């Protein structure tokens, strides 16, 4: 389970800490994340996805990736779609690091 302090999350999202706090409260009530005091600074809360939250994120990313790819491909004629698939396969064979299990789950099935 990955975690981060909520002020860092606000910075990453470029929104106010109040907006983050409100969103986190809603997500916590839904069981998607937890907020716990940071061990070395009890004033700061550390945000961590629950297992259910990880599942929701994974499912969303899988859907988003498939949807985005579908919208890209619908503008290509079949021969160009095949060329793109071949080029992407060629590039992926030369990837410097193997994909993580999480990254592999984001690749839509054939």
């Amino acid at each position: 389970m990955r975690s981060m302090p909520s002020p860092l999350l606000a910075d990453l999202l470029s929104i106010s800490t109040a907006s983050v706090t409100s969103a986190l409260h809603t997500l916590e009530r839904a069981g998607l994340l937890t907020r716990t005091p940071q061990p070395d600074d009890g004033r700061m809360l550390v945000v961590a996805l629950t297992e259910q939250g990880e599942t929701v994120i994974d499912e969303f990313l899988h859907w988003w990736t498939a949807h985005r790819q579908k919208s890209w491909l619908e503008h290509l004629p079949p021969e160009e779609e095949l060329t793109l698939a071949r080029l992407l396969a060629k590039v992926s064979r030369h990837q410097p690091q193997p994909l993580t299990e999480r990254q592999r789950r984001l690749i839509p099935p054939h």
Side-chain angles (χ1 to χ4, degrees), residues 34-79:
T34 59
R35 293 184 292 177
T36 56
Q38 186 170 354
D40 59 339
D41 184 355
R43 299 168 297 162
M44 190 173 294
L45 294 175
V46 176
V47 178
L49 289 172
T50 62
E51 189 173 320
Q52 181 184 359
E54 288 276 355
T55 299
V56 168
I57 294 294
D58 287 346
E59 289 173 357
F60 171 77
L61 290 175
H62 180 77
W63 173 86
W64 176 252
T65 301
H67 178 73
R68 184 182 62 208
Q69 288 175 353
K70 181 182 176 192
S71 70
W72 288 346
L73 296 178
E74 70 187 15
H75 302 288
L76 296 177
E79 65 276 2

Side-chain angles (χ1 to χ4, degrees), residues 90-104:
K90 185 176 184 178
V91 170
S92 69
R93 283 194 300 271
H94 299 287
Q95 195 166 321
Q97 296 178 349
L99 294 173
T100 65
E101 175 60 30
R102 189 173 199 176
Q103 290 168 327
R104 281 194 299 274

Side-chain angles (χ1 to χ4, degrees), residues 19-31 33 35:
S19 294
V20 168
T21 299
S22 176
L24 293 178
H25 184 69
T26 300
L27 294 170
E28 186 177 35
R29 280 194 323 254
L33 60 84
R35 293 184 292 177

Side-chain angles (χ1 to χ4, degrees), residues 4-18:
M4 75 172 55
S6 52
L8 176 58
L9 184 57
D11 286 344
L12 289 172
L13 297 172
S14 299
I15 59 176
S16 71
T17 53

